[in-house]
Amino acid sequence: VRSCTIPCVRFEINRRLKQNSGFRLFCLLLCDLCICLYILNCGFRVCKRWKRLVKDQRLWRNVDLTSWKGVTSRILWVLLRQYLGCGLRCLRLRGLLLSARGGTFLSESWLKALSTKCPRLSKLYLLHADLRSLPSCQILPPSLQVLELRGCELPRAEPTSRKGAGSPSGIGIERLVLNNVPSFTDQHLQGLTSWERLCHLELRDTFRVTANGLRSCAAKDGVCGVEGLSRLKFLEIGITGRQGYQLHMASLGLGAGWLGLEELSLGGKEVGPGLLCASRLKDLKRLRLWDCTLSELQIARSCRMLRGLRQLEFVDVRFQPRQNPPAEEGEGGEEEEQDREEAAGADGSSDENKMADMNDPIPGLRRTLAVLLPSCTLVLTNCSVQNNED
């Protein structure tokens, strides 16, 4: 075992293993060297008990191969035929999309065999995987509940008619996470309406999704009941890594409303357009804003109509310093003055505290939201105040 120089496969071992000497010794060895498949396939001599421990399904509950760049389709078949089985719950794989060797990584036959041998697989995470050779998502294991794709390429979406757009597809995925998947389009989003159990959707850096595509998939009352993504409870839209995206603004599609949507997460360039439409979400209870720049007045105006909001969270948000511009004629100046009067009336602070909060918008934001949304909880994580000395 010590003479093996091949990169090791990392296994995440369940802590509740059987308490005996064999398992304790095996766990200690796996923490440092994580026995390679090559050991059992190239003539290394091990005892029968050691080989039996290697194939114990409790050791193959959570398999993470994302840090090993040498995984090929051949190794995947060896894994599936000799080691993976009914004990597998979570599988994380790294594809060959950015590799110089290329080639087919996940084939249709392998996914069908995975469905047969691993009937309890509930989570699949794919990194840099090329899925364009697959016919559709229906060949994925039916036991999947969570599917996460990062930096992957998807097959072309099949055109769906309006009559068959909401028909069940047999896919039981409840949570779908897409991170930097450039091939995901409005047609793919429309195809998700047939996923009858989808309740959690995250769209990060999916720049081909437009406002019209999001608007067409929103849950709304139709002739045959609620149409669109009717079971969706959580939606995240965020764009942080692509220039020139201001022309799309997919979050403007929320302006038509969304029945049953309780949690909304907006990030990057989608925060501004999304806040303009958040008041149309009548069932919204939690709002999360991340990686953006906001002002106190912008937040107050956007949250004025969100009376049912129970939690407002800011993550990595840069707040603009408070400014006191000269009063201008028009309705805009009256609204700003009203917001400040309401916030000041809710707090009996002294003049010293007011001077200390002059440039810091966070205390003023707390007071303003306490008046506008008294039942809402404010959460701030890793936030800062922008310095505009220039």
Side-chain angles (χ1 to χ4, degrees), residues 230-366:
S230 57
R231 293 183 178 271
L232 199 66
K233 301 296 182 182
F234 179 93
L235 176 63
E236 176 172 306
I237 308 175
I239 296 293
T240 57
R242 180 166 289 270
Q243 300 294 332
Y245 182 78
Q246 294 84 350
L247 298 178
H248 290 276
M249 300 183 187
S251 56
L252 289 177
L254 300 174
W258 200 303
L259 297 178
L261 188 63
E262 299 179 355
E263 301 182 34
L264 177 64
S265 178
L266 300 172
K269 300 175 183 179
E270 294 289 356
V271 174
L275 285 177
L276 297 176
C277 306
S279 59
R280 303 293 184 89
L281 306 177
K282 303 302 181 181
D283 300 324
L284 188 63
K285 297 180 180 179
R286 297 179 181 87
L287 178 60
R288 181 173 180 264
L289 307 176
W290 49 276
D291 195 10
C292 59
T293 302
L294 295 173
S295 65
E296 179 184 349
L297 293 177
Q298 182 181 2
I299 298 172
R301 290 176 177 177
S302 302
C303 298
R304 181 186 297 273
M305 303 302 295
L306 299 178
R307 297 299 182 180
L309 201 64
R310 293 295 176 264
Q311 181 177 346
L312 179 59
E313 183 179 3
F314 297 93
V315 181
D316 295 328
V317 174
R318 299 169 296 277
F319 292 100
Q320 296 179 355
R322 303 183 66 179
Q323 297 178 358
N324 296 322
E328 297 180 0
E329 297 181 358
E331 298 180 357
E334 296 179 358
E335 291 181 357
E336 294 179 4
E337 187 66 24
Q338 182 180 0
D339 292 340
R340 293 177 181 175
E341 290 179 358
E342 291 178 356
D347 185 19
S349 59
S350 61
D351 295 338
E352 296 179 358
N353 294 333
K354 292 181 180 179
M355 292 298 296
D357 298 342
M358 183 176 297
N359 295 325
D360 190 358
I362 296 180
L365 179 63
R366 291 182 182 274

Side-chain angles (χ1 to χ4, degrees), residues 114-129:
L114 180 65
S115 305
T116 304
K117 289 207 62 178
C118 306
R120 299 180 181 179
L121 178 63
S122 60
K123 183 177 180 180
L124 179 61
Y125 172 87
L126 300 178
L127 173 65
H128 300 159

Side-chain angles (χ1 to χ4, degrees), residues 200-214:
H200 186 110
L201 178 61
E202 299 182 18
L203 303 177
R204 305 173 188 171
D205 290 335
T206 53
F207 61 91
R208 284 191 169 90
V209 176
T210 63
N212 292 331
L214 197 66

Side-chain angles (χ1 to χ4, degrees), residues 53-253:
L53 291 177
V54 172
K55 295 188 178 183
D56 192 286
Q57 287 301 307
R58 286 172 291 183
L59 297 176
W60 298 89
R61 183 179 295 270
N62 299 319
V63 179
D64 187 357
L65 304 178
T66 54
S67 60
W68 194 29
K69 299 181 180 180
V71 178
T72 60
S73 59
R74 176 179 175 273
I75 295 180
L76 289 180
W77 276 110
V78 174
L79 271 171
L80 186 59
R81 289 169 179 171
Q82 299 189 18
Y83 304 100
L84 302 183
C86 59
L88 184 63
R89 299 293 190 276
C90 176
L91 180 60
R92 303 169 66 90
L93 299 175
R94 183 190 186 102
L96 303 175
L97 187 61
L98 302 182
S99 176
R101 67 179 66 186
T104 303
F105 181 65
L106 293 180
S107 61
E108 183 178 356
S109 58
W110 188 87
L111 289 174
K112 291 182 178 179
L114 180 65
S115 305
T116 304
K117 289 207 62 178
C118 306
R120 299 180 181 179
L121 178 63
S122 60
K123 183 177 180 180
L124 179 61
Y125 172 87
L126 300 178
L127 173 65
H128 300 159
D130 190 355
L131 308 177
R132 287 175 290 187
S133 60
L134 302 180
S136 65
C137 293
Q138 295 184 355
I139 65 174
L140 293 174
S143 60
L144 278 184
Q145 298 178 1
V146 179
L147 177 61
E148 186 172 352
L149 305 178
R150 182 175 181 180
C152 298
E153 288 290 341
L154 300 179
R156 180 176 300 179
E158 298 179 358
T160 56
S161 59
R162 293 185 177 180
K163 295 183 179 180
S167 58
S169 61
I171 299 177
I173 296 177
E174 301 176 1
R175 178 173 179 173
L176 177 62
V177 179
L178 301 175
N179 191 344
N180 191 19
V181 182
S183 57
F184 188 82
T185 61
D186 290 341
Q187 293 182 352
H188 291 92
L189 186 62
Q190 184 67 34
L192 298 182
T193 57
S194 62
W195 295 19
E196 57 271 16
R197 295 185 180 180
L198 185 64
C199 60
H200 186 110
L201 178 61
E202 299 182 18
L203 303 177
R204 305 173 188 171
D205 290 335
T206 53
F207 61 91
R208 284 191 169 90
V209 176
T210 63
N212 292 331
L214 197 66
R215 188 179 301 110
S216 63
C217 297
K220 51 186 176 294
D221 292 327
V223 179
C224 301
V226 181
E227 299 178 350
L229 296 173
S230 57
R231 293 183 178 271
L232 199 66
K233 301 296 182 182
F234 179 93
L235 176 63
E236 176 172 306
I237 308 175
I239 296 293
T240 57
R242 180 166 289 270
Q243 300 294 332
Y245 182 78
Q246 294 84 350
L247 298 178
H248 290 276
M249 300 183 187
S251 56
L252 289 177

